[in-house]
Every structure is written in structure tokens, then in C-alpha cells.
Amino acid sequence: MSELINNDFSKIMFDRHSVRQFDPSIKIPRDELQTMIEQAATAPSACNLQSWHFVVIDTPEGKSKLKEAAMKFNYPQIDSSSAVIFLAGDTKSHEVYRDVWQKVYAAGKIDKAKLDTILNTFLPLYEKATPEFLTLDATIDCSMVGMQLLLIARAHGYEANPWSGFNFKTIIPTLGLDEKRFVPVMAISLGKPATDQPVLKTDRYNTPMLTEFR
Ligand SMILES: Cc1cc2nc3c(=O)[nH]c(=O)nc-3n(C[C@H](O)[C@H](O)[C@H](O)COP(=O)(O)O)c2cc1C
């Protein structure tokens, strides 16, 4: 794993705010974007299915295309960012599930009995699942990896804005993805903040009001 510029957990988490105006002159190298994705993908996922797919949009052509399906109020964070990483949920991730666990077994990390239990417990669940179930599962997985991406971006010295203000019906084909397989979840704009724009520091509800102990 590469060196992190900011490795202070409380600063990374508690000083995070959505940045929507970036310095357009900053370009994040593609290998660093790939590293951030790899680091974010340490996120947990349902049955370790990792039902996420990343589309990195960092060219003027890619951004123009993305704007066809984005709401206008999100244009500034598309135009000024170094890159937008679009997170699509993969509703067919279970189709490679057998191979993933075979590898774990082949590496000697689990025995045959454990392998059979995993495959016999989880595979039927997904093979018989409704599209709604698969969509929800993939959406939750993408949310987990998305949050990690927001935090790892800060560890790399960047800021970010998660956004889902786009047309959920058109974004998948607009990005050239298979509509039968992928579902839209969120986009994350990344870059260095514009220095002449104030960052909105949002408040939160009082969490005890939202908490119940049983
Ligand atoms: C699922 C989701 C969708 C969002 N969609 C948008 C959006 O379309 N445009 C935008 O500017 N911000 C969007 N945001 C960012 C929120 O407005 C922001 O996270 C919230 O106001 C709290 O501010 P903070 O991120 O600075 O803590 C979205 C955030 C989430 C989690």
C-alpha cells in the first residue's frame, strides 16, 4: 500500500466536508486513482461478493458524456474535479462467487467442509434472488466502498463530493455499462479544493434523538 499523506484518523474523518469546487489544474495520476480504489475496496461487502464496479471519468469527453445524465447542479463538481469515480452495483457478482471461494480453498485458508458450507449457504440465496434483492445488496456494497473512497481520498491529500443527482434511468447506458447487470449508486468527484471557494461545514442532528437502546 502506498504512503498516505494524511494518516490522522480523526482529521480524516471529522474534518471531511463535501467539496464541490475543485482546482481544475490538478490532475490525479491514474495509478494513484487505481491505488485509492484498491484501498477503498478493503471495504466489507455482503458475503464478500464485492458487488461494486468503478468507472473513472477523467477526460473532457468522459465528463461531457457524464453530464448528459447528471443534474445541472452537479456540473461544477464534474467540470472542476480531477476525476469522477462512478460506482455501479454489480448484480451478477455472485456468478464468480464459486471461483472466489475456490481460490481461498486452494490457498489453504479454509477446508473443504467450510468451502461447501459457504457455497451451499450463500450461492442458492443469490441464484434465486429477485432483481430487487440483488440491487439492494449491490447498492449497500457500493455505499460501503464509497464511504471508504471518501476517506482514503483525504488520506491522499484530496477532497471529494459524493453525489447521486443524476438520471437513474439513463446513467448506466450513458456510461456504456450493461443495464442487465449494473445498477447506478453514486458518483464521487475528487480533486484538490479551489482555494477561493468557501467549503460548507454542515451540521448534524443530535444523535441521541435518533437513537434507541433496547
Ligand atoms: C447518497 C448521496 C447523494 C448525494 N447527492 C448529492 C448531489 O447530487 N449533489 C451534491 O452536491 N451533493 C450530494 N451529496 C452530498 C451531500 O449533500 C452531503 O454529503 C451532505 O450535505 C453533508 O455534507 P458533508 O458531505 O459536507 O458532510 C450526496 C450525498 C450522498 C450520501
Side-chain angles (χ1 to χ4, degrees):
M1 290 284 169
S2 65
E3 199 69 19
L4 301 177
I5 287 175
N6 180 359
N7 211 353
D8 182 328
F9 179 76
S10 65
K11 284 205 175 103
I12 287 178
M13 183 149 154
F14 303 128
D15 293 348
R16 185 206 58 79
H17 302 285
S18 283
V19 166
R20 297 176 175 86
Q21 288 285 350
F22 297 93
D23 176 347
S25 70
I26 302 290
K27 197 98 191 105
I28 306 176
R30 285 190 170 184
D31 60 352
E32 190 174 13
L33 288 165
Q34 192 67 72
T35 299
M36 287 193 274
I37 290 170
E38 191 185 336
Q39 292 169 334
T42 57
S45 61
C47 297
N48 200 22
L49 275 172
Q50 305 161 58
S51 307
W52 43 59
H53 187 78
F54 308 92
V55 181
V56 180
I57 301 139
D58 66 347
T59 61
E61 304 75 45
K63 287 182 173 187
S64 300
K65 196 81 195 143
L66 175 63
K67 281 162 76 176
E68 288 174 15
M71 292 177 188
K72 282 208 164 61
F73 56 81
N74 287 321
Y75 283 8
Q77 56 269 51
I78 298 175
D79 288 330
S80 64
S81 62
S82 300
V84 180
I85 300 182
F86 186 82
L87 300 180
D90 184 356
T91 64
K92 295 197 176 174
S93 56
H94 58 283
E95 290 182 4
V96 294
Y97 197 57
R98 197 175 288 279
D99 304 342
V100 171
W101 284 102
Q102 280 290 354
K103 266 193 212 152
V104 178
Y105 168 63
K109 293 182 184 170
I110 53 171
D111 62 17
K112 182 78 171 64
K114 179 82 181 159
L115 174 70
D116 290 343
T117 307
I118 290 168
L119 296 181
N120 295 335
T121 308
F122 298 123
L123 257 185
L125 191 74
Y126 284 92
E127 282 166 354
K128 291 186 200 137
T130 61
E132 290 74 24
F133 177 99
L134 296 170
T135 298
L136 181 60
D137 225 57
T139 305
I140 297 170
D141 285 1
C142 282
S143 302
M144 303 297 280
V145 82
M147 188 65 238
Q148 295 233 119
L149 203 41
L150 296 180
L151 298 180
I152 200 69
R154 283 182 51 72
H156 279 251
Y158 301 111
E159 296 294 348
N161 169 224
W163 56 274
S164 57
F166 46 71
N167 185 329
F168 271 67
K169 289 207 166 73
T170 61
I171 188 96
I172 291 293
T174 299
L175 293 176
L177 295 174
D178 177 1
E179 280 185 281
K180 291 202 180 76
R181 176 170 177 180
F182 295 106
V183 292
V185 180
M186 93 179 76
I188 297 179
S189 293
L190 296 161
K192 295 269 186 193
T195 47
D196 57 344
Q197 301 277 340
V199 173
L200 176 63
K201 300 194 172 163
T202 52
D203 291 326
R204 292 296 183 266
Y205 298 121
N206 188 8
T207 55
M209 265 171 36
L210 310 172
T211 310
E212 297 180 33
F213 291 94
R214 296 277 153 81

PDB file of all heavy atoms in Angstrom, residues 159-177:
ATOM      1  N   GLU A 159      -9.821  16.052  -1.734  1.00  0.00           N
ATOM      2  CA  GLU A 159     -11.170  16.205  -1.178  1.00  0.00           C
ATOM      3  C   GLU A 159     -12.150  15.584  -2.163  1.00  0.00           C
ATOM      4  O   GLU A 159     -11.798  15.302  -3.317  1.00  0.00           O
ATOM      5  CB  GLU A 159     -11.494  17.685  -0.934  1.00  0.00           C
ATOM      6  CG  GLU A 159     -10.613  18.352   0.114  1.00  0.00           C
ATOM      7  CD  GLU A 159     -10.808  17.818   1.531  1.00  0.00           C
ATOM      8  OE1 GLU A 159     -11.791  17.079   1.780  1.00  0.00           O
ATOM      9  OE2 GLU A 159      -9.960  18.111   2.392  1.00  0.00           O
ATOM     10  N   ALA A 160     -13.383  15.428  -1.707  1.00  0.00           N
ATOM     11  CA  ALA A 160     -14.347  14.711  -2.544  1.00  0.00           C
ATOM     12  C   ALA A 160     -15.765  15.180  -2.288  1.00  0.00           C
ATOM     13  O   ALA A 160     -16.037  15.863  -1.297  1.00  0.00           O
ATOM     14  CB  ALA A 160     -14.242  13.213  -2.257  1.00  0.00           C
ATOM     15  N   ASN A 161     -16.632  14.826  -3.218  1.00  0.00           N
ATOM     16  CA  ASN A 161     -18.077  15.041  -3.056  1.00  0.00           C
ATOM     17  C   ASN A 161     -18.805  13.812  -3.609  1.00  0.00           C
ATOM     18  O   ASN A 161     -18.664  13.482  -4.780  1.00  0.00           O
ATOM     19  CB  ASN A 161     -18.508  16.307  -3.816  1.00  0.00           C
ATOM     20  CG  ASN A 161     -20.028  16.454  -3.923  1.00  0.00           C
ATOM     21  OD1 ASN A 161     -20.548  16.785  -4.989  1.00  0.00           O
ATOM     22  ND2 ASN A 161     -20.744  16.237  -2.849  1.00  0.00           N
ATOM     23  N   PRO A 162     -19.558  13.148  -2.733  1.00  0.00           N
ATOM     24  CA  PRO A 162     -20.386  12.066  -3.253  1.00  0.00           C
ATOM     25  C   PRO A 162     -21.644  12.671  -3.833  1.00  0.00           C
ATOM     26  O   PRO A 162     -22.177  13.625  -3.267  1.00  0.00           O
ATOM     27  CB  PRO A 162     -20.721  11.245  -1.993  1.00  0.00           C
ATOM     28  CG  PRO A 162     -20.740  12.250  -0.880  1.00  0.00           C
ATOM     29  CD  PRO A 162     -19.777  13.345  -1.265  1.00  0.00           C
ATOM     30  N   TRP A 163     -22.126  12.179  -4.934  1.00  0.00           N
ATOM     31  CA  TRP A 163     -23.382  12.713  -5.468  1.00  0.00           C
ATOM     32  C   TRP A 163     -24.155  11.663  -6.254  1.00  0.00           C
ATOM     33  O   TRP A 163     -23.578  10.821  -6.924  1.00  0.00           O
ATOM     34  CB  TRP A 163     -23.159  13.990  -6.278  1.00  0.00           C
ATOM     35  CG  TRP A 163     -22.190  13.932  -7.422  1.00  0.00           C
ATOM     36  CD1 TRP A 163     -20.836  14.107  -7.349  1.00  0.00           C
ATOM     37  CD2 TRP A 163     -22.494  13.690  -8.797  1.00  0.00           C
ATOM     38  NE1 TRP A 163     -20.276  13.992  -8.592  1.00  0.00           N
ATOM     39  CE2 TRP A 163     -21.280  13.739  -9.508  1.00  0.00           C
ATOM     40  CE3 TRP A 163     -23.668  13.446  -9.509  1.00  0.00           C
ATOM     41  CZ2 TRP A 163     -21.200  13.547 -10.878  1.00  0.00           C
ATOM     42  CZ3 TRP A 163     -23.597  13.247 -10.887  1.00  0.00           C
ATOM     43  CH2 TRP A 163     -22.371  13.303 -11.546  1.00  0.00           C
ATOM     44  N   SER A 164     -25.465  11.764  -6.093  1.00  0.00           N
ATOM     45  CA  SER A 164     -26.311  10.854  -6.873  1.00  0.00           C
ATOM     46  C   SER A 164     -27.413  11.630  -7.581  1.00  0.00           C
ATOM     47  O   SER A 164     -28.446  11.061  -7.927  1.00  0.00           O
ATOM     48  CB  SER A 164     -26.893   9.745  -5.993  1.00  0.00           C
ATOM     49  OG  SER A 164     -27.613  10.308  -4.932  1.00  0.00           O
ATOM     50  N   GLY A 165     -27.171  12.908  -7.766  1.00  0.00           N
ATOM     51  CA  GLY A 165     -28.094  13.734  -8.536  1.00  0.00           C
ATOM     52  C   GLY A 165     -27.855  13.506 -10.022  1.00  0.00           C
ATOM     53  O   GLY A 165     -27.225  14.313 -10.715  1.00  0.00           O
ATOM     54  N   PHE A 166     -28.324  12.345 -10.481  1.00  0.00           N
ATOM     55  CA  PHE A 166     -28.246  12.023 -11.916  1.00  0.00           C
ATOM     56  C   PHE A 166     -29.501  11.248 -12.280  1.00  0.00           C
ATOM     57  O   PHE A 166     -30.273  10.844 -11.402  1.00  0.00           O
ATOM     58  CB  PHE A 166     -26.977  11.213 -12.241  1.00  0.00           C
ATOM     59  CG  PHE A 166     -26.676  10.080 -11.313  1.00  0.00           C
ATOM     60  CD1 PHE A 166     -27.447   8.922 -11.302  1.00  0.00           C
ATOM     61  CD2 PHE A 166     -25.611  10.160 -10.403  1.00  0.00           C
ATOM     62  CE1 PHE A 166     -27.175   7.880 -10.441  1.00  0.00           C
ATOM     63  CE2 PHE A 166     -25.327   9.113  -9.526  1.00  0.00           C
ATOM     64  CZ  PHE A 166     -26.111   7.977  -9.542  1.00  0.00           C
ATOM     65  N   ASN A 167     -29.701  11.048 -13.559  1.00  0.00           N
ATOM     66  CA  ASN A 167     -30.868  10.316 -14.021  1.00  0.00           C
ATOM     67  C   ASN A 167     -30.606   8.815 -13.862  1.00  0.00           C
ATOM     68  O   ASN A 167     -29.796   8.232 -14.586  1.00  0.00           O
ATOM     69  CB  ASN A 167     -31.146  10.682 -15.490  1.00  0.00           C
ATOM     70  CG  ASN A 167     -32.427  10.047 -15.983  1.00  0.00           C
ATOM     71  OD1 ASN A 167     -32.813   8.972 -15.542  1.00  0.00           O
ATOM     72  ND2 ASN A 167     -33.091  10.731 -16.906  1.00  0.00           N
ATOM     73  N   PHE A 168     -31.305   8.219 -12.899  1.00  0.00           N
ATOM     74  CA  PHE A 168     -31.057   6.809 -12.588  1.00  0.00           C
ATOM     75  C   PHE A 168     -31.447   5.882 -13.747  1.00  0.00           C
ATOM     76  O   PHE A 168     -30.975   4.752 -13.818  1.00  0.00           O
ATOM     77  CB  PHE A 168     -31.799   6.400 -11.296  1.00  0.00           C
ATOM     78  CG  PHE A 168     -30.964   6.632 -10.063  1.00  0.00           C
ATOM     79  CD1 PHE A 168     -30.617   7.917  -9.657  1.00  0.00           C
ATOM     80  CD2 PHE A 168     -30.493   5.564  -9.315  1.00  0.00           C
ATOM     81  CE1 PHE A 168     -29.817   8.131  -8.535  1.00  0.00           C
ATOM     82  CE2 PHE A 168     -29.692   5.759  -8.193  1.00  0.00           C
ATOM     83  CZ  PHE A 168     -29.357   7.044  -7.801  1.00  0.00           C
ATOM     84  N   LYS A 169     -32.311   6.380 -14.625  1.00  0.00           N
ATOM     85  CA  LYS A 169     -32.748   5.517 -15.743  1.00  0.00           C
ATOM     86  C   LYS A 169     -31.725   5.528 -16.884  1.00  0.00           C
ATOM     87  O   LYS A 169     -31.584   4.546 -17.594  1.00  0.00           O
ATOM     88  CB  LYS A 169     -34.089   6.009 -16.286  1.00  0.00           C
ATOM     89  CG  LYS A 169     -35.234   5.751 -15.326  1.00  0.00           C
ATOM     90  CD  LYS A 169     -36.561   5.623 -16.101  1.00  0.00           C
ATOM     91  CE  LYS A 169     -37.644   5.037 -15.231  1.00  0.00           C
ATOM     92  NZ  LYS A 169     -38.140   5.970 -14.224  1.00  0.00           N
ATOM     93  N   THR A 170     -31.017   6.660 -17.048  1.00  0.00           N
ATOM     94  CA  THR A 170     -30.155   6.764 -18.234  1.00  0.00           C
ATOM     95  C   THR A 170     -28.656   6.648 -17.948  1.00  0.00           C
ATOM     96  O   THR A 170     -27.870   6.438 -18.872  1.00  0.00           O
ATOM     97  CB  THR A 170     -30.397   8.109 -18.958  1.00  0.00           C
ATOM     98  OG1 THR A 170     -30.058   9.176 -18.056  1.00  0.00           O
ATOM     99  CG2 THR A 170     -31.843   8.250 -19.414  1.00  0.00           C
ATOM    100  N   ILE A 171     -28.267   6.797 -16.669  1.00  0.00           N
ATOM    101  CA  ILE A 171     -26.824   6.904 -16.393  1.00  0.00           C
ATOM    102  C   ILE A 171     -26.041   5.638 -16.787  1.00  0.00           C
ATOM    103  O   ILE A 171     -24.925   5.731 -17.301  1.00  0.00           O
ATOM    104  CB  ILE A 171     -26.560   7.277 -14.907  1.00  0.00           C
ATOM    105  CG1 ILE A 171     -25.082   7.587 -14.660  1.00  0.00           C
ATOM    106  CG2 ILE A 171     -26.992   6.181 -13.940  1.00  0.00           C
ATOM    107  CD1 ILE A 171     -24.725   9.002 -14.700  1.00  0.00           C
ATOM    108  N   ILE A 172     -26.637   4.474 -16.586  1.00  0.00           N
ATOM    109  CA  ILE A 172     -25.894   3.227 -16.866  1.00  0.00           C
ATOM    110  C   ILE A 172     -25.596   3.095 -18.365  1.00  0.00           C
ATOM    111  O   ILE A 172     -24.428   2.940 -18.750  1.00  0.00           O
ATOM    112  CB  ILE A 172     -26.647   2.005 -16.261  1.00  0.00           C
ATOM    113  CG1 ILE A 172     -26.578   2.070 -14.725  1.00  0.00           C
ATOM    114  CG2 ILE A 172     -26.121   0.673 -16.785  1.00  0.00           C
ATOM    115  CD1 ILE A 172     -25.211   1.882 -14.098  1.00  0.00           C
ATOM    116  N   PRO A 173     -26.611   3.211 -19.248  1.00  0.00           N
ATOM    117  CA  PRO A 173     -26.262   3.154 -20.684  1.00  0.00           C
ATOM    118  C   PRO A 173     -25.408   4.343 -21.119  1.00  0.00           C
ATOM    119  O   PRO A 173     -24.549   4.186 -22.000  1.00  0.00           O
ATOM    120  CB  PRO A 173     -27.625   3.140 -21.394  1.00  0.00           C
ATOM    121  CG  PRO A 173     -28.638   3.523 -20.375  1.00  0.00           C
ATOM    122  CD  PRO A 173     -28.073   3.188 -19.034  1.00  0.00           C
ATOM    123  N   THR A 174     -25.617   5.512 -20.508  1.00  0.00           N
ATOM    124  CA  THR A 174     -24.795   6.674 -20.891  1.00  0.00           C
ATOM    125  C   THR A 174     -23.315   6.378 -20.662  1.00  0.00           C
ATOM    126  O   THR A 174     -22.453   6.800 -21.431  1.00  0.00           O
ATOM    127  CB  THR A 174     -25.230   7.930 -20.083  1.00  0.00           C
ATOM    128  OG1 THR A 174     -26.581   8.210 -20.400  1.00  0.00           O
ATOM    129  CG2 THR A 174     -24.365   9.139 -20.403  1.00  0.00           C
ATOM    130  N   LEU A 175     -23.028   5.622 -19.589  1.00  0.00           N
ATOM    131  CA  LEU A 175     -21.634   5.296 -19.296  1.00  0.00           C
ATOM    132  C   LEU A 175     -21.170   4.037 -20.031  1.00  0.00           C
ATOM    133  O   LEU A 175     -20.057   3.552 -19.813  1.00  0.00           O
ATOM    134  CB  LEU A 175     -21.437   5.128 -17.783  1.00  0.00           C
ATOM    135  CG  LEU A 175     -21.611   6.411 -16.962  1.00  0.00           C
ATOM    136  CD1 LEU A 175     -21.496   6.121 -15.478  1.00  0.00           C
ATOM    137  CD2 LEU A 175     -20.589   7.471 -17.378  1.00  0.00           C
ATOM    138  N   GLY A 176     -22.036   3.510 -20.874  1.00  0.00           N
ATOM    139  CA  GLY A 176     -21.651   2.353 -21.682  1.00  0.00           C
ATOM    140  C   GLY A 176     -21.649   1.049 -20.904  1.00  0.00           C
ATOM    141  O   GLY A 176     -20.984   0.084 -21.309  1.00  0.00           O
ATOM    142  N   LEU A 177     -22.399   1.029 -19.787  1.00  0.00           N
ATOM    143  CA  LEU A 177     -22.453  -0.201 -18.986  1.00  0.00           C
ATOM    144  C   LEU A 177     -23.694  -1.023 -19.352  1.00  0.00           C
ATOM    145  O   LEU A 177     -24.692  -0.480 -19.830  1.00  0.00           O
ATOM    146  CB  LEU A 177     -22.498   0.147 -17.488  1.00  0.00           C
ATOM    147  CG  LEU A 177     -21.261   0.836 -16.906  1.00  0.00           C
ATOM    148  CD1 LEU A 177     -21.527   1.242 -15.458  1.00  0.00           C
ATOM    149  CD2 LEU A 177     -20.028  -0.059 -16.992  1.00  0.00           C
TER     150      LEU A 177
END
